[in-house]
Amino acid sequence: RVTLTTYLASLKKQFDFRNMALLDNTGVAIVASNPGRIGASYSKMAYVKAARNSLELVVSKARFSRVDGTPLITFAKRVPTTDFVLFISVPLGNLYKDLVDVSDVDKLGYSFILTSNCLPLAHPKLIEENTKISDYSQLCNVENGKVEFSEGSEKFVGWILKDDLT
């Protein structure tokens, strides 16, 4: 177990993962890239339950870390011929810069992605520390299409496209 924990820690660092763990048949971490997480129970996590009941790779919905609020996504897979589950949590820190930011094309563009709970998932202010992010709940009540909204003293005209999968 020590060797596997060391190996997972090395992979975590190399690929900038948040956490990797091997869970026993009760959902308790028996090996983890963060040694302090060994013995922690992940049994109530939806991705663990789904992976335990599937032969396929399970990808969690994007969520925010309970530790520091970082947006994360987790991949989980049941280990063949066992009830063990291996998971990898990946921070989405570059999601905005890599896939959402339109400033290279439009210097005045202001793009972002909200979760189904109306929380910012990919937003330019998530990158800045100690920055308050606006309440976008009024946007989540709008159907697809053109929308006008304000953020501070600035007014924006935008477009909403809802994804039923998120």
Side-chain angles (χ1 to χ4, degrees):
R1 289 187 187 184
V2 172
T3 302
L4 188 51
T5 294
T6 302
Y7 182 66
L8 291 183
S10 171
L11 287 175
K12 173 191 163 201
K13 183 176 180 180
Q14 181 179 356
F15 294 106
D16 197 27
F17 295 147
R18 173 52 65 94
N19 192 16
M20 299 176 69
L22 179 64
L23 311 178
D24 69 10
N25 60 349
T26 65
V28 172
I30 56 174
V31 177
S33 60
N34 299 336
R37 300 298 299 159
I38 295 173
S41 177
Y42 293 85
S43 62
K44 293 185 180 180
M45 302 301 284
Y47 60 85
V48 171
K49 291 177 184 177
R52 181 168 282 119
N53 295 315
S54 176
L55 296 175
E56 303 298 318
L57 179 70
V58 172
V59 181
S60 74
K61 287 186 174 188
R63 68 191 189 293
F64 297 93
S65 166
R66 297 172 291 178
V67 176
D68 64 3
T70 301
L72 301 169
I73 195 162
T74 299
F75 302 88
K77 178 91 169 92
R78 190 175 83 204
V79 178
T81 70
T82 74
D83 286 329
F84 289 10
V85 170
L86 177 67
F87 78 81
I88 301 170
S89 290
V90 180
L92 298 176
N94 290 330
L95 176 66
Y96 180 78
K97 184 177 71 99
D98 294 344
L99 300 174
V100 181
D101 185 11
V102 295
S103 64
D104 287 346
V105 178
D106 179 1
K107 295 289 182 207
L108 299 175
Y110 187 55
S111 57
F112 52 89
I113 297 174
L114 303 175
T115 65
S116 58
N117 296 335
C118 235
L119 298 172
L121 176 64
H123 193 286
K125 291 184 179 177
L126 285 175
I127 299 168
E128 305 167 14
E129 291 197 28
N130 300 323
T131 302
K132 185 176 187 277
I133 296 177
S134 298
D135 175 12
Y136 293 109
S137 56
Q138 79 274 11
L139 296 179
C140 288
N141 296 323
V142 176
E143 292 302 315
N144 290 340
K146 182 180 172 184
V147 64
E148 295 180 18
F149 67 99
S150 296
E151 192 168 54
S153 61
E154 294 188 66
K155 294 186 180 201
F156 295 93
V157 174
W159 190 266
I160 291 181
L161 179 61
K162 293 184 179 181
D163 181 347
D164 291 336
L165 298 176
T166 59

